[in-house]
Amino acid sequence: HTLSDHRGFNQVHDFLEANRKLTQSVILELSQRGYREMKRTEQDRLGQLADLGYRLSLGDVADLTIDPAALAAQGFRHMSVEAAILLHGDMDDGTGVVPAQGLAPRMAQHGITVITTQVDRENQALSVIDADVTLAQGLLFSPPRPVKRELLETSSSNAETDIRQAS
């Protein structure tokens, strides 16, 4: 929505431009669906953020019909794909269908790192490793845990302080 709102985009752009020291700490992620639905103006604005040095990530990838060169040219450096899709789908990059397990090496040729999500079982992790994926996340690595009350109290008091300071 920010990319389609002229005023909102200008505010975000000005903030990111003034804080370029964050370029190695901030990755801007867009869903594959949102990216595919973008209009030309929104794509240009996305390019402006990439031109500032911020890295882009394509998230929620469900369709492996992907042009890695086009994504890389737009500034994408990361892409997240669910383990089930990576391990059982096929990709079509315009040059023909490639088994999805060849996705990570194919994307790496264009400077894009594949991150596999929803890795919940050991056999998935082994298959992800066999697919040359070096980054993964999921329940296997860190299952959800209850939040400690003191953390909630600390973070809400910090947020209140931040809001008061910003006012």
Side-chain angles (χ1 to χ4, degrees), residues 71-108:
L71 281 180
Q74 182 73 45
F76 284 89
R77 300 294 171 253
H78 305 278
M79 183 174 96
S80 60
V81 182
E82 289 181 21
I85 293 170
L86 176 80
L87 300 174
H88 304 294
D90 290 327
M91 73 173 283
D92 184 346
D93 65 358
T95 63
V97 175
V98 177
Q101 291 196 347
L103 179 68
R106 184 67 149 257
M107 299 307 276

Side-chain angles (χ1 to χ4, degrees), residues 15 152-167:
F15 174 81
L152 287 174
E153 291 167 0
T154 302
S155 81
S156 71
S157 67
N158 287 343
E160 290 172 16
T161 301
D162 292 344
I163 291 169
R164 280 192 296 255
Q165 290 175 350
S167 300

Side-chain angles (χ1 to χ4, degrees), residues 41-62:
T41 302
E42 296 161 339
Q43 290 176 1
D44 292 343
R45 289 178 178 160
L46 186 63
Q48 290 176 36
L49 300 178
D51 289 345
L52 292 175
Y54 291 91
R55 293 168 291 162
L56 304 177
S57 178
L58 188 66
D60 300 324
V61 173

